[in-house]
Structures are given as structure tokens and as C-alpha cells.
Amino acid sequence: MAIELKACESSNLAAHGYDPETRTLAVRFKSGGVWHYSGVPLEVHEGLCAAASKGGYFATKILPKYKGAKQ
């Protein structure tokens, strides 16, 4: 599944995107690799977009709660 990624300002994340139909969050890390996280609600993605610290938001609100798979 191809999800359009948009670059973001973060020390850890390079870009992210979201597919509302499948509730899949895609994240490209600066260290390399794209991961897809399933079952992510739209409001969680919106929170990531609005977060002052995208890496911090990802680490506390997404990483411990949603299953990820490297693409």
C-alpha cells in the first residue's frame, strides 16, 4: 500500500502520512526505513501533525499503542 508521505520537522521522523480508509499511519524515520502502524485513529494522526515535538508525540502516543510493520 502506497501512502503519500509529507516531510516534517523532527529530530527522529523524516516524513509521515495517513490513510483514513485503512487507518494506517506511515512513518519514514531519519535513520532509514518506512513503517506502517495499523488501527491509528484520525485524531491521533492529527495530533502528530499538530505536535510541537513530533518524535515525542510518536514515542508516547503511537509507538506503545499501535502495531508497526517495516515496509
Side-chain angles (χ1 to χ4, degrees):
M1 156 188 358
I3 297 175
E4 182 180 346
L5 301 175
K6 295 183 182 178
C8 63
E9 292 286 328
S10 171
S11 59
N12 189 26
L13 312 181
H16 61 86
Y18 185 72
D19 181 350
E21 195 170 294
T22 62
R23 295 176 21 134
T24 301
L25 173 69
V27 177
R28 181 185 312 127
F29 293 93
K30 289 193 173 178
S31 60
V34 175
W35 286 68
H36 283 187
Y37 296 86
S38 57
V40 178
L42 177 60
E43 55 270 19
V44 172
H45 176 250
E46 290 172 342
L48 177 63
C49 292
S53 170
K54 305 228 184 311
Y57 185 92
F58 175 81
T60 60
K61 305 288 187 184
I62 297 167
L63 191 57
K65 298 179 182 178
Y66 303 99
K67 182 179 178 183
K70 190 169 184 180
Q71 299 303 295

